[in-house]
Amino acid sequence: LLQRLLQAVNQLFCENTAARAFATLLFVEYDNATRRLRYANCGHLPALILRSDDGLETLDATTTVVGLFDRWECEIGESRLSAGDTLIFYTDGVTESFNDSEEQFGQERLIDALRRNRELDAPALLRTIVDEVRRFSPQKQHDDITLIAAKCR
């Protein structure tokens, strides 16, 4: 069912946008009762699961971007969350923020910031990370800074 839904999204995108237009997409379905997480990562940056034991899991691409190919297949990934785990979604405006030395904030700095601030509740965690990105890259942002955090209790 999830694969058919995403194939329909891809088909609609192909039919209704310019020939070389495409989009990345990360679709996640979570079942709170079983703590099962199913996902399709269509060329998007990987979501991060920071485990309660400080381990890290990435929800890497399961297929390519939507909108470029009429014939398009989609794999579904699966994971489980445990109490104390934190799930983070982010856009490239976070990791591709540059400092004055032309260094990117990058995924490693993001992961380090998550680990250092893991005890904060989700809203405070998001504020802290956005503040770190802005301190790292104080000039005008050229892209959005979008983060979503969810904590498993």
Side-chain angles (χ1 to χ4, degrees):
L1 181 63
L2 181 53
Q3 286 150 315
R4 286 200 317 263
L5 169 71
L6 292 170
Q7 285 172 333
V9 168
N10 180 71
Q11 193 61 43
L12 284 168
F13 204 103
C14 284
E15 292 170 0
N16 294 291
T17 59
R20 296 187 184 237
F22 67 90
T24 65
L25 171 72
L26 179 57
F27 184 95
V28 177
E29 171 187 80
Y30 180 67
D31 182 334
N32 198 42
T34 63
R35 295 187 174 174
R36 183 177 80 158
L37 184 141
R38 296 177 66 226
Y39 66 94
N41 183 338
C42 310
H44 196 70
L45 294 168
L48 306 172
I49 301 174
L50 183 59
R51 299 292 183 183
S52 59
D53 65 1
D54 229 23
L56 182 76
E57 181 179 344
T58 57
L59 305 185
D60 295 318
T62 59
T63 190
T64 190
V65 297
V66 295
L68 281 183
F69 307 104
D70 274 339
R71 295 178 55 116
W72 183 85
E73 295 296 321
C74 181
E75 295 293 319
I76 304 299
E78 190 169 309
S79 187
R80 291 199 185 272
L81 296 182
S82 300
D85 291 348
T86 304
L87 177 61
I88 300 288
F89 305 97
Y90 59 99
T91 60
D92 61 1
V94 174
T95 52
E96 294 178 5
S97 289
F98 287 89
N99 66 12
D100 292 335
S101 301
E102 295 299 311
E103 296 174 295
Q104 290 186 355
F105 188 77
Q107 189 183 56
E108 288 308 311
R109 281 187 180 90
L110 174 59
I111 292 166
D112 179 58
L114 291 170
R115 284 189 168 131
R116 281 186 283 106
N117 298 286
R118 70 174 312 117
E119 299 305 319
L120 297 175
D121 64 13
L125 177 64
L126 294 174
R127 281 192 306 273
T128 299
I129 293 185
V130 169
D131 287 347
E132 285 199 29
V133 171
R134 288 193 171 136
R135 276 194 306 275
F136 179 84
S137 181
Q139 64 275 11
K140 185 175 183 234
Q141 291 293 318
H142 297 287
D143 204 348
D144 67 290
I145 294 176
T146 303
L147 289 154
I148 299 171
K151 292 194 165 235
C152 186
R153 297 182 199 166

